[in-house]
Amino acid sequence: MNQDMSIVSLLLHASFVVQLVVLILLSISVASWAAIVRKITAIKRIKNLNEEFERVFWSGTSLNELFNAASQNAKLSGPMERIFASGMREYQKLRERRITDAGTLLDGARRAMRASFQREMDVAESKLAFLASVGSISPYVGLFGTVWGIMHAFTGLASLQQVTLAAVAPGIAEALVATAIGLFAAIPAVLAYNRFSHDVDRIAIKLETFIEEFSNILQRSLGANVAMGNGSASGH
């Protein structure tokens, strides 16, 4: 008595609950892989844009020129460039209001950059919570399908007078498929979450370092302006 023990055959003969669990897990797996691919692309783009802006920033281009370029290409700019633009925008607004106190100017620019930094990190961290949920919940969902499938299998065996391994095996096997698919959905999500969390942390450190460096540049510029009696921040 040969029985088809392939995964497809087992799932076709499984109970409705097990089939539903497997369908949910497969849908979750597809969604997590889509999120992983999008996240890989997004993080790569963020890194490239940040590196490109950092090169231009330290090339000696004036702050005003960088700000004008950042304002014109706001939709295509990266997180670091948008943070810079936020700081410069607030700095210039305060200067237009005839505020000359160096501490007030610097504090306003820093607050604007920190607010922009938080917005950028919210975007960078998007989908991470979803991947973490997939990684932690999927095995339990699969386990639920397995437990239900085993219960269903043993309930069916109650009507048999003689229980053999051949009679038990298909029911147990189809139940265990749910756990296997749960792990199939969870493992890539956990690996991707750990990798993306590391990448996002590195991006955050780089952006925070830039905020500090740009703040120092503004502070030196303000000190030079006070000493020279010049109210312009034109270079760094």
Side-chain angles (χ1 to χ4, degrees):
M1 212 164 76
N2 295 326
Q3 297 188 43
D4 187 358
M5 297 291 286
S6 66
I7 292 178
V8 175
S9 178
L10 291 173
L11 290 176
L12 290 176
H13 292 89
S15 65
F16 172 75
V17 173
V18 174
Q19 290 178 340
L20 181 61
V21 166
V22 169
L23 180 62
I24 291 172
L25 289 172
L26 289 176
S27 300
I28 290 173
S29 180
V30 170
S32 67
W33 274 107
I36 289 169
V37 171
R38 287 197 298 269
K39 201 66 186 171
I40 290 173
T41 304
I43 287 180
K44 184 177 180 181
R45 181 176 181 272
I46 288 172
K47 288 180 178 180
N48 290 340
L49 289 173
N50 283 347
E51 289 174 1
E52 181 180 347
F53 175 74
E54 202 168 18
R55 273 196 308 271
V56 176
F57 182 83
W58 293 112
S59 67
T61 306
S62 71
L63 297 180
N64 289 329
E65 289 178 9
L66 286 171
F67 178 61
N68 291 334
S71 300
Q72 293 172 2
N73 302 316
K75 293 183 178 180
L76 301 177
S77 59
M80 189 177 290
E81 189 170 3
R82 286 193 289 267
I83 289 172
F84 162 79
S86 297
M88 277 296 293
R89 188 179 300 111
E90 184 65 18
Y91 175 84
Q92 290 186 351
K93 284 180 180 178
L94 292 174
R95 294 300 295 268
E96 290 170 2
R97 289 161 58 181
R98 306 295 183 185
I99 295 175
T100 57
D101 180 65
T104 302
L105 290 169
L106 187 60
D107 188 52
R110 284 178 64 86
R111 283 202 307 269
M113 287 192 288
R114 295 302 303 183
S116 179
F117 168 79
Q118 291 299 330
R119 288 194 296 271
E120 296 298 338
M121 293 312 301
D122 286 342
V123 174
E125 292 172 353
S126 64
K127 304 298 182 185
L128 290 187
F130 170 71
L131 292 175
S133 298
V134 171
S136 60
I137 293 174
S138 293
Y140 294 104
V141 175
L143 184 60
F144 168 76
T146 295
V147 172
W148 186 276
I150 291 174
M151 289 171 55
H152 179 75
F154 279 110
T155 301
L157 294 174
S159 60
L160 298 179
Q161 293 182 349
Q162 184 178 2
V163 178
T164 63
L165 182 61
V168 175
I172 302 298
E174 69 189 29
L176 291 174
V177 169
T179 296
I181 295 179
L183 294 174
F184 174 79
I187 292 173
V190 171
L191 292 175
Y193 172 80
N194 291 335
R195 176 61 189 178
F196 295 151
S197 294
H198 173 74
D199 290 341
V200 169
D201 286 344
R202 293 294 300 272
I203 290 171
I205 291 171
K206 198 164 189 176
L207 293 178
E208 288 180 325
T209 302
F210 172 77
I211 290 173
E212 294 302 320
E213 291 172 339
F214 182 45
S215 297
N216 291 336
I217 290 170
L218 287 179
Q219 191 170 27
R220 288 197 300 269
S221 178
L222 288 168
N225 289 336
V226 170
M228 297 171 58
N230 186 356
S232 160
S234 60
H236 58 289

